[in-house]
Amino acid sequence: MSSDKKIKIGLFGFGVVGQGIYNIISQQPELPIEIVKICVKDSAKQRAAPTELITTNKNELLQNSDIDLIVEVINNSDAALEIVQEAFANGKHVVSASKKMIAENLESLLEHRAQSNVSFLYEASACASIPLLRNLDEFYQHDNLKSLKGIVNGSTNYILTKIFEQNLSFEVALAKAQELGFAETDASLDVEGFDAKHKWIEVLLHAYGIKLKQEQLLNLGIQNIKKQDVAFAAKNNQTIKLIAYAKKINDEEITAFVLPQFVDNNSPLAFVKNEFNAVQIESNFAGEQVLYGRGAGSLPTATAVISDIIAVKNGYTYTYPKSKLANTLSFTNKQEIAVYVGFENLPDIPINEFSKIEKIEDSKEGKFIIGKILVSKLLEQQWWRKPSVSLITLAEPIAVQIKKEYSREKELAEVAPM
Ligand code: HSE
């Protein structure tokens, strides 16, 4: 397909992202992309696209032999799955931004894609504008990364920024994130950490070749964070971010979770504000690197979709080079993490479940416990999900450091002239 001919696409969805895709393509006629049809739910709505492009009949796209590639950016994950499967069955390439649909059906989608021998790219679904998945596959192909720490949900980062910097209430900040088109139609997916979890399942596949099921990855959002937690962070020169975390804890095992985390004010992730996302990568050889950019919004998300369309036109498909690691690397939740647990009533907290208690404060100064607890225990139990309890990991939740330590000093010493 890497000819001079334009790649012909059928677009499902004309919401925030679909419209962004249409705008970028129509404003740049030199792009090697032609939109043949746009399928929408409601044909009566006024749209900034020629009416002859619009249809409500999915077969005009899926059965259209003129269309090479289906772009799917709708907000209903069941309908999205049907579209993608039918596109595969009809031998059409797919570019998708539906993280929930992808994370929930990872195994079967990868199988169907392979059988159909088409490309299936979904960069926009992970961190909108940040070129993350292709870089994890290609650039870091040789690097069995030591850790990844990400802010991968724009809405919650926007809300936390407004709470910390403008003292806005949670509700007002969420309403603004919705108005700006950052939040999902069902905003609880953002607020409760499910959207971040879906994205992290994709990231873990590309970074480590691990295919996780929903129930294996611990997640909590920002819904329980209270004023006293915000004050505790500020007192310690920290902020709170919703962090998707993954770390190799030894040569054979990796652990991961999505939880609110205290972040030092001078750490790179503390500078990630509003709807921006960032992923801090700890490479075995390059040390720390940060990928940063807008994690939500119309044009930032659309730009990743367009980049994927052009990549497909150029013959690119994910090859999942990290999947060979799956033979030597396994996922575990049997890992202690250092946490702060804010509470209203101390008896609500099962203290015996902690493997170590560092501090209990139950006074006017604050109401919290600092200690260590196994991720697997949290997964089995529900007490920490209560609205009166706020579970937040400390800035360095896992202390272990594996070998192959990158050291700038060591490197300089090794290359220093004799
Ligand atoms: N609701 C998502 C977010 C949109 O806030 O990050 C981008 O995936």
Side-chain angles (χ1 to χ4, degrees), residues 91-385:
K92 298 194 187 303
H93 304 291
V94 175
V95 171
S96 167
S98 297
K99 51 260 159 141
K100 182 170 187 284
M101 180 273 289
I102 296 169
E104 284 177 350
N105 301 284
L106 202 56
E107 195 96 42
S108 68
L109 283 170
L110 297 188
E111 256 171 50
H112 289 164
R113 184 219 68 84
Q115 285 158 7
S116 313
N117 201 20
V118 291
S119 290
F120 175 42
L121 303 186
Y122 41 86
E123 186 68 78
S125 70
C127 278
S129 72
I130 303 180
L132 178 62
L133 302 181
R134 254 190 273 162
N135 272 323
L136 289 173
D137 266 13
E138 302 300 319
F139 185 87
Y140 294 103
Q141 200 166 148
H142 62 293
D143 196 338
N144 188 351
L145 303 167
K146 284 161 84 169
S147 71
L148 291 169
K149 238 190 245 184
I151 294 173
V152 299
N153 180 268
S155 303
T156 44
N157 202 49
Y158 180 90
I159 294 168
L160 289 171
T161 306
K162 297 297 172 204
I163 291 176
F164 271 86
E165 297 192 354
Q166 292 173 18
N167 210 12
L168 290 193
S169 71
F170 182 93
E171 291 72 22
V172 170
L174 170 60
K176 279 182 180 278
Q178 286 175 308
E179 242 172 65
L180 290 164
F182 301 151
E184 299 299 302
T185 314
D186 171 3
S188 69
L189 290 170
D190 297 295
V191 168
E192 296 176 14
F194 287 97
D195 180 74
K197 169 173 167 157
H198 296 142
K199 292 167 174 169
W200 211 233
I201 287 177
E202 296 179 342
V203 168
L204 292 173
L205 172 69
H206 288 270
Y208 295 104
I210 295 173
K211 287 185 203 127
L212 284 192
K213 297 209 170 14
Q214 304 291 308
E215 59 275 16
Q216 288 176 280
L217 188 63
L218 178 73
N219 71 295
L220 176 68
I222 61 167
Q223 69 270 35
N224 295 348
I225 292 174
K226 318 245 170 351
K227 279 205 167 129
Q228 69 148 348
D229 311 321
V230 173
F232 181 88
K235 197 171 136 197
N236 293 301
N237 295 320
Q238 292 180 321
T239 184
I240 300 172
K241 297 285 187 189
L242 182 62
I243 298 289
Y245 188 92
K247 185 168 178 123
K248 276 195 74 189
I249 51 169
N250 55 48
D251 284 333
E252 289 87 38
E253 288 178 305
I254 176 170
T255 194
F257 44 83
V258 174
L259 291 172
Q261 185 170 119
F262 291 110
V263 170
D264 293 339
N265 279 340
N266 59 6
S267 126
L269 294 185
F271 294 95
V272 180
K273 307 275 172 84
N274 296 315
E275 81 277 22
F276 279 78
N277 283 185
V279 179
Q280 189 172 344
I281 295 175
E282 197 185 353
S283 148
N284 280 298
F285 314 108
E288 286 194 344
Q289 298 182 303
V290 182
L291 298 177
Y292 169 83
R294 283 193 165 76
S298 178
L299 295 178
T301 311
T303 200
V305 171
I306 301 222
S307 174
D308 274 354
I309 298 171
I310 296 174
V312 171
K313 182 181 174 336
N314 293 337
Y316 182 80
T317 190
Y318 297 136
T319 54
Y320 302 97
K322 293 291 181 80
S323 55
K324 60 181 179 295
L325 282 179
N327 301 328
T328 52
L329 193 62
S330 61
F331 180 77
T332 181
N333 279 316
K334 291 256 176 287
Q335 173 62 44
E336 266 183 358
I337 54 171
V339 295
Y340 156 109
V341 178
F343 55 80
E344 275 166 24
N345 301 302
L346 185 54
D348 286 346
I349 313 297
I351 287 174
N352 292 340
E353 300 294 347
F354 285 73
S355 22
K356 189 166 182 199
I357 298 277
E358 306 272 357
K359 180 170 180 161
I360 300 182
E361 182 74 52
D362 188 10
S363 69
K364 277 197 201 131
E365 303 302 312
K367 287 172 172 283
F368 62 86
I369 293 177
I370 291 179
K372 288 192 172 158
I373 193 158
L374 279 170
V375 174
S376 53
K377 279 223 179 227
L378 292 169
L379 266 176
E380 284 159 16
Q381 300 172 351
Q382 296 298 319
W383 58 267
W384 53 276
R385 291 193 184 277

Side-chain angles (χ1 to χ4, degrees), residues 12 39 56-64 86:
F12 278 89
C39 186
T56 51
N57 179 358
K58 64 178 186 167
N59 292 332
E60 286 187 33
L61 286 71
L62 291 167
Q63 310 282 342
N64 188 337
E86 219 173 312

